[in-house]
Amino acid sequence: MVINADWVRLLVVCLVLTAGAGAVLHFGGLASPRPVVRAALRAAVQLAAVSAVIAAVLASLPLTAAFLLLMAVVATGTSAARAKTGRRGWWVAVAILAGTAPAISILLVSGLVPVRGIALVPVGGILVGGAMTATTLSVRRALDTLRDRHGEYEAALALGFTEPVAVRELVRRPAAEALLPALDQTRTVGLVTLPGAFVGMLLGGAPVWQAGALQLVVLLGLLLVEATAIAVVVELVARGFVRRGSQEGDVRLT
């Protein structure tokens, strides 16, 4: 059996990059390298599986819709697990979908993104991924703040604030920090980064102006999606719908 040299180079580069990331975490005393190895293996398996079925998915609108739904389900599970929200993790889906669904609808209604799998899957994936990241970061920051500044929360109650208002006052600013990566990406696009949508269209032969226009729309869509996700997270935390197991009794809603 003849082994393609390109596949060998790909395997070697992937092993080097994964080993390098794990080594930095280990020798830098930052964390165990195991999560990096697991993430790399999972990414390889998932991309191989997606590559095997993507042609059928892209050719069928019902399968495209099902694939986008699968993206949202996986994003919800990932975000809930990372934030350790336990039984209340399904509320995370509200934050992820609150901005993603309207943003995709706007792109479709405007005609900027055609109703075809080849366009819907990558754009939808970018938006769902952004919502997942913003949700995870904002939930973690909000719940950490609620834990670390619980004395201030009790003081606010003593001053007559209702429980949701007291929580909102504490977690709004920390949660909003989850938007910083999207803001920085938008502010530095073309100068520091050339995001995937832009590069992908160029590699596909699209005119430069068209690639730039789509990338701008995607970046602005990400700002809407992530800002909405963060705002919903603040409200979910304020109303007690999202908590860690250890915080279940910390805040009592009336």
Side-chain angles (χ1 to χ4, degrees):
M1 183 177 67
V2 179
I3 300 177
N4 191 306
D6 290 338
W7 287 104
V8 174
R9 284 196 294 269
L10 173 64
L11 177 61
V12 171
V13 169
C14 289
L15 289 175
V16 170
L17 293 176
T18 303
V24 170
L25 291 177
H26 175 71
F27 293 108
L30 301 174
S32 167
R34 285 193 296 273
V36 170
V37 176
R38 286 197 298 267
L41 290 174
R42 180 171 174 174
V45 171
Q46 289 172 180
L47 286 173
V50 168
S51 298
V53 302
I54 196 66
V57 169
L58 297 182
S60 168
L61 279 179
L63 288 179
T64 295
F67 194 74
L68 290 173
L69 179 61
L70 176 62
M71 285 181 178
V73 170
V74 174
T76 297
T78 301
S79 185
R82 184 66 67 185
K84 300 178 181 178
T85 53
R87 292 176 294 115
R88 301 190 176 203
W90 68 274
W91 280 102
V92 171
V94 178
I96 291 175
L97 294 176
T100 304
I104 292 177
S105 298
I106 291 171
L107 294 177
L108 291 176
V109 171
S110 67
L112 291 175
V113 172
V115 187
R116 292 190 298 160
I118 192 66
L120 280 172
V121 169
V123 172
I126 291 171
L127 296 179
V128 171
M132 177 186 70
T133 300
T135 298
T136 299
L137 293 176
S138 58
V139 169
R140 287 173 64 94
R141 291 289 290 129
L143 295 183
D144 286 347
T145 299
L146 198 56
R147 178 197 63 205
D148 297 340
R149 300 172 62 185
H150 192 69
E152 295 177 50
Y153 161 75
E154 295 286 356
L157 292 183
L159 291 173
F161 287 88
T162 63
E163 292 171 355
V165 171
V167 174
R168 285 191 201 102
E169 291 299 316
L170 286 176
V171 306
R172 270 184 183 138
R173 287 186 178 277
E177 292 180 4
L179 191 61
L180 291 179
L183 284 173
D184 287 345
Q185 184 183 32
T186 303
R187 293 175 60 184
T188 61
V189 66
L191 298 176
V192 178
T193 61
L194 291 175
F198 181 84
V199 175
M201 289 192 67
L202 288 182
L203 293 177
V208 174
W209 69 267
Q210 192 175 38
L214 177 63
Q215 185 61 68
L216 176 61
V217 169
V218 170
L219 287 173
L220 297 181
L222 276 172
L223 289 180
L224 169 63
V225 166
E226 296 192 26
T228 302
I230 294 167
V232 172
V233 163
V234 169
E235 196 60 28
L236 291 174
V237 172
R239 295 183 177 275
F241 294 125
V242 171
R243 285 285 186 277
R244 292 191 181 122
S246 59
Q247 294 176 314
E248 291 289 343
D250 290 350
V251 179
R252 304 166 303 282
L253 295 182
T254 54

